Amino acid sequence: MTDSARGLSPTTITSLLADTSPYLSCDDCFAQIDEYVERQIADPHYEDPAMKAHLLGCGACAEEAETLRELLREDAG
């Protein structure tokens, strides 16, 4: 095992190995993220397979979704 591989966290490894199909680009994700988060808040059982796969593999978009989720919850409550 190389020194660089030892520095990867379990979360990073999981993200790198995540199945990203169906494929969704960061641009596509960003264009849909507002509606996705709003739907998830309104219906916790709402699923979008492409968005879910993308967020599992992309930390930047996942962080954006979480931040938006927190903001919307603060506004609601």
Side-chain angles (χ1 to χ4, degrees), residues 14-71:
T14 299
S15 293
L16 290 171
L17 297 175
D19 179 10
T20 59
S21 58
Y23 178 76
L24 186 69
S25 71
C26 288
D27 288 339
D28 293 336
C29 177
F30 191 74
Q32 301 172 28
I33 203 162
D34 294 352
E35 181 179 345
Y36 175 76
V37 171
E38 288 173 357
R39 284 187 176 195
Q40 274 202 319
I41 289 172
D43 177 8
H45 300 291
Y46 173 76
E47 289 291 332
D48 179 328
M51 184 68 80
K52 183 178 180 178
H54 184 84
L55 294 176
L56 285 172
C58 180
C61 289
E63 184 176 333
E64 181 72 22
E66 186 56 34
T67 300
L68 181 57
R69 191 173 288 111
E70 289 173 11
L71 288 171

Side-chain angles (χ1 to χ4, degrees), residues 3-16:
D3 288 337
S4 62
R6 288 186 193 131
L8 297 176
S9 71
T11 302
T12 301
I13 293 169
T14 299
S15 293
L16 290 171

